[in-house]
């Protein structure tokens, strides 16, 4: 039978409010800051509100003295009216994602001057994120009574143009890679109903929605401008304005609206940092379908045929929509594996089928162990997982056993499953790349590759039979977002840990002497697309490698050796005299400390006291061969690429025959 053990959602010592209150009273909030993330993992709205008010006065520098590796984000907050009240809500939201904000609140209502003036305190703060909060009176303070809808539309269009100009100013004056965040503006009833004509009221509504649509179309998150859509927040029943505080304090947003704004902003910040989750791990009984498989059998569970069953069908379609955008789906179920296989493969009414899941763990063991197994199979970190289960006991076991994994609090009401799954935007990313969309297909190919490897008694023969092709050449414009994504999301094989936005990658690729290469891989199982990036530059007759990033899903095939050895050969062929590189330690890349020395580099010095970087140099005299099972084509410049096309082949980096 299905495990129906019941446990409280959080043990007593994990209740956020009492724990935070105790830490605050003892003056230990800064020292215990890493524990706050787990404390807030399952916090409700009231608990997050309390946490934000306790954490907001905390000095970030004190936290960093205790925990220098804490991820931070520099935020400037400005807006049309009084906007400082967003800071506690945002602080609480970021804390539950493990991010420490360093926040500057700018002058009330002075956003026009602050964003336009390169010498303003806003730019002196060097923000990574600038929140320009547009409250419900945006536009209306430029409309004189009496007014007609067309006059409001004209004022709105002027406002949109001003915001566009401010976005350009922010792009010019803020640090490279910084993002300006705007938002749509709620239309208040107290304005619409000043019109007694229903026809004019409808006209105003249409014009206002066009204004908001135009704001949304301005968004280019990877190019430094994001726009939060507040309509989903207000449509959930959140009132937008507070008339009394608006009249007496120029604070026109309700606390609930600012909380919703902060939640969306935190998801955006997490996404911009490349911290989107990769895999959704699902329970089956009571989560994906109605019924208990061990009791009802594969034919007895359902996702249609009744109102309750149809609610499970709706949830399955929601999950399928996420999968279509690159979210990996997996199953972790306490059930007989054969019965699970039959239900997923043969059930006629499920929107989801066996082919939609990249892996399945069905046994009677701990679900925390099951999540670890899934992460290991997929080659991802366990904290990249979102776990959804309708049983409190199982959720708590995964919270305790898989730190950093997100846990979705489903229960016995399937109609609420989609809302709860989507509430925290765990899979939100600034943009969607082709590699994102194809990720499930490529992981399926990876599984086929691993099955082939398991069936081979000779690993060398297995590699030789892969027909592995690696192409390394200057990145195309449409690949820059993918290169940024790799720098943001790759932890294990990231030589220096440097994180770059798409715009920063674009700027780097356009710089004189820049060498920004995309690493592409394919074998007989299919095309893996862009799996790595080389960020380098030529200077004084040498090649300086600023960073080398490779997706963990392709490690172990010799691609890393091929890229490094091919890079050295290409540098010598180009007449360069040496290649320089560095390793900067992060929490996950310790294994790369010996990467350069293993490929013939000599250690120049380090670790540097300021960056802990160890520096290496290769004189390009004795070069190691490219692994013989790989067909490598590597070009440092577009001129080499053009020459290769004309010659029809690349000889500088041909594979070794040894």
């Amino acid at each position: 039978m299905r495990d129906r053990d019941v446990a409280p959602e959080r043990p007593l010592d994990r209740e956020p409010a009492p724990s935070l209150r105790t830490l605050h009273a003892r003056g230990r909030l800064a020292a215990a800051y890493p524990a706050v993330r787990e404390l807030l993992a399952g916090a409700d709205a009231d608990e997050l509100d309390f946490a934000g008010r306790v954490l907001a006065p905390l000095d970030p520098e004190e936290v960093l003295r205790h925990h220098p590796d804490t991820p931070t984000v520099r935020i400037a907050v400005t807006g049309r009216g009084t906007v400082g009240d967003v800071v506690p809500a945002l602080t609480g939201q970021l804390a539950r994602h493990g991010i420490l904000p360093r926040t500057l609140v700018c002058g009330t209502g002075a956003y026009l001057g602050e964003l336009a003036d390169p010498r303003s305190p806003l730019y002196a703060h060097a923000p990574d994120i600038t929140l320009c909060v547009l409250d419900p009176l945006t536009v209306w303070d430029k409309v004189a009574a009496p007014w007609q809808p067309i006059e409001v539309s004209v004022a709105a269009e002027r406002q949109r143009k001003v915001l566009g100009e401010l976005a350009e100013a922010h792009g010019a004056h803020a640090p490279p890679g910084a993002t300006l965040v705007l938002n749509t503006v709620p239309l208040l009833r107290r304005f619409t109903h000043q019109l007694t004509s229903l026809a004019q009221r409808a006209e105003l509504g249409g014009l206002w929605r066009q204004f908001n649509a135009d704001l949304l179309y301005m968004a280019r998150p990877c190019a430094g401008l994001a726009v939060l859509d507040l309509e989903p927040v207000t449509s959930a029943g959140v009132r937008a304005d507070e008339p009394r505080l608006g009249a007496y304090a120029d604070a026109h947003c309700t606390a609930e609206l600012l909380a919703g704004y902060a939640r969306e902003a935190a998801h955006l910040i997490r996404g911009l940092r490349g911290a989107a989750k990769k895999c959704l791990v699902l329970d089956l009984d009571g989560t994906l379908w109605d019924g208990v498989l061990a009791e009802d059998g594969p034919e007895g569970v359902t996702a249609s045929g009744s109102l309750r069953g149809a609610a499970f069908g709706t949830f399955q379609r929601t999950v399928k929509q996420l999968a279509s955008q690159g979210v990996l789906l997996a199953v972790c179920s306490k059930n007989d594996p054969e019965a699970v296989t039959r239900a997923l493969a043969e059930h006629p009414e499920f929107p989801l089928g066996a082919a939609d899941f990249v892996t399945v763990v069905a046994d009677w063991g701990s679900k925390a162990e099951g999540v670890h197994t899934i992460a290991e199979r997929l080659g991802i970190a366990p904290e990249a997982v979102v776990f959804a289960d309708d049983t409190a006991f199982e959720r708590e076991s995964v919270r305790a056993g898989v730190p950093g994994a997100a846990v979705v609090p489903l229960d016995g009401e399937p109609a609420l499953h989609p809302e709860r799954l989507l509430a925290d935007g765990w899979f939100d990313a600034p943009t969607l790349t082709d590699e994102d969309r194809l990720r499930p297909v490529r992981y399926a190919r990876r599984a086929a590759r691993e099955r082939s490897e398991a069936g081979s008694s000779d690993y060398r023969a297995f590699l030789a039979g892969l027909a592995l092709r690696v192409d390394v050449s200057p990145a195309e414009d449409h690949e820059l977002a993918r290169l940024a994504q790799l720098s943001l999301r790759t932890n294990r094989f990231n030589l220096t840990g440097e994180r770059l936005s798409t715009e920063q990658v674009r700027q780097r690729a356009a710089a004189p002497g820049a060498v920004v290469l995309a690493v592409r891989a394919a074998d007989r199982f299919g095309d893996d697309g862009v799996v790595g990036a080389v960020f380098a530059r030529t200077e004084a007759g040498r090649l300086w490698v600023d960073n080398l990033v490779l997706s963990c899903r392709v490690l172990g095939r010799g691609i890393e050796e091929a890229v490094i050895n091919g890079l050295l050969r290409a540098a010598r062929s180009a007449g360069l005299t040496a290649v320089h590189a560095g390793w900067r330690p992060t929490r996950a890349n310790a294994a790369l400390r010996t990467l350069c020395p293993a490929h013939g580099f000599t250690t120049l010095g380090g670790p540097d006291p300021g960056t802990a970087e160890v520096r290496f140099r290769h004189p390009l005299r004795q070069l190691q061969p490219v692994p013989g099972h790989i067909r490598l084509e590597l070009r440092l410049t577009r001129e080499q690429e053009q020459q290769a096309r004309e010659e029809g082949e690349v000889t500088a980096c041909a594979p070794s025959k040894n």
Side-chain angles (χ1 to χ4, degrees), residues 498 508 511-517 534-547 567 576 578-581 613 636:
E498 184 180 27
R508 185 164 296 195
V515 178
V516 175
L517 308 178
V534 178
F535 300 100
R537 54 198 157 84
T538 56
E539 186 178 305
R542 303 170 186 175
L543 182 69
W544 301 79
V545 179
D546 297 316
N547 202 11
L567 199 62
L576 301 176
V579 174
H580 290 253
E613 183 175 14
L636 292 178

Side-chain angles (χ1 to χ4, degrees), residues 201-288:
R201 195 179 294 171
E203 180 185 2
L204 175 63
L207 293 170
W208 194 268
R209 285 167 178 80
Q210 184 60 56
F211 163 59
N212 278 329
D214 290 342
L215 283 177
L216 291 168
Y217 283 127
M218 287 170 57
R220 296 289 185 273
C222 289
L225 178 61
V227 181
L228 301 179
D229 189 358
L230 296 188
E231 185 171 344
V233 177
T234 56
S235 67
V238 172
R239 176 163 180 162
D241 69 321
E242 173 45 70
R244 289 167 296 184
L245 286 177
Y248 305 131
D250 198 26
H252 299 277
C253 297
T254 63
E256 293 77 14
L257 182 67
L258 291 177
Y261 175 98
R263 192 182 191 102
E264 297 300 318
H267 299 168
L268 171 68
I269 292 169
R270 189 185 63 213
L272 288 169
R273 297 174 67 88
K277 305 292 187 182
K278 296 179 180 179
C279 179
L280 174 58
V281 177
L282 294 152
D283 173 47
L284 295 177
D285 298 337
T287 295
L288 209 59

Side-chain angles (χ1 to χ4, degrees), residues 308-599:
R308 180 174 171 81
F312 285 97
T314 298
F315 181 59
Q316 288 200 24
R317 285 188 288 275
T318 301
V319 170
K320 194 175 185 75
Q321 174 65 19
L322 293 176
S324 73
Q325 298 162 92
V327 175
L328 302 174
L329 302 184
V331 166
C332 185
S333 172
K334 288 186 176 179
N335 265 306
D336 178 72
E338 289 76 16
V340 169
T341 299
R342 282 183 56 203
L344 292 176
E346 302 173 7
H347 206 292
E349 64 185 26
F350 289 168
L352 290 170
D356 293 300
F357 296 94
V358 291
T359 191
V360 174
V361 171
D363 56 29
W364 301 97
S366 158
K367 290 203 173 182
E369 293 176 0
V371 170
H372 279 290
T373 297
I374 288 168
E376 184 177 353
R377 287 180 184 175
L378 299 180
I380 62 176
E383 55 264 29
V385 165
V386 175
F387 176 73
D389 196 302
D390 67 307
T391 304
F393 174 83
E394 304 296 1
R395 295 196 297 274
E396 187 55 40
S397 74
V398 170
R399 277 203 188 97
V402 193
V407 178
V408 180
L410 306 183
D411 58 19
E413 180 46 79
L416 297 179
H417 283 9
E419 180 178 325
R420 290 175 176 172
L421 174 62
L422 302 175
D424 284 300
W426 293 116
F427 305 106
D428 290 359
T431 190
L432 205 61
T433 66
D434 291 339
E435 280 72 18
D436 289 325
R437 296 184 180 90
L438 292 172
R439 187 180 295 120
V441 174
R442 287 175 173 153
Y443 271 85
R445 290 173 182 162
R446 171 182 171 152
R449 190 181 294 112
E450 290 175 348
R451 288 194 297 270
S452 177
E453 177 187 346
S456 174
S457 58
D458 185 342
Y459 188 65
R460 288 180 178 271
F462 164 74
L463 289 177
L466 275 180
L468 184 55
R469 305 177 303 281
V470 177
D471 177 273
V472 185
S473 64
E476 302 293 339
D477 189 66
H478 69 274
E479 295 173 321
L480 299 183
R482 171 60 177 164
L483 267 58
Q485 184 182 65
L486 283 166
S487 82
L488 288 166
R489 301 181 67 170
T490 302
N491 297 307
R492 193 184 311 172
F493 202 103
N494 189 324
L495 195 58
T496 65
E498 184 180 27
R499 311 297 185 179
L500 299 172
S501 68
T502 301
E503 188 59 27
Q504 287 173 304
V505 173
R506 191 183 310 279
Q507 292 174 5
R508 185 164 296 195
V515 178
V516 175
L517 308 178
V519 180
R520 312 168 191 88
D523 59 25
R524 66 183 177 87
F525 291 98
D527 186 350
D528 280 312
V530 178
V531 298
V534 178
F535 300 100
R537 54 198 157 84
T538 56
E539 186 178 305
R542 303 170 186 175
L543 182 69
W544 301 79
V545 179
D546 297 316
N547 202 11
L548 173 61
V549 179
L550 200 63
S551 171
C552 296
R553 77 171 189 263
V554 298
L555 297 181
R557 300 187 221 168
I559 294 176
E560 53 269 44
E561 289 87 355
V563 172
I564 295 173
N565 294 335
L567 199 62
L568 296 172
R569 290 172 178 270
R572 187 167 71 177
S573 296
L576 301 176
T577 60
V579 174
H580 290 253
W583 169 77
R584 191 176 303 128
T586 69
R587 288 179 289 181
N589 74 347
L592 298 186
R593 170 64 176 84
T594 59
L595 180 72
C596 289
H599 289 82

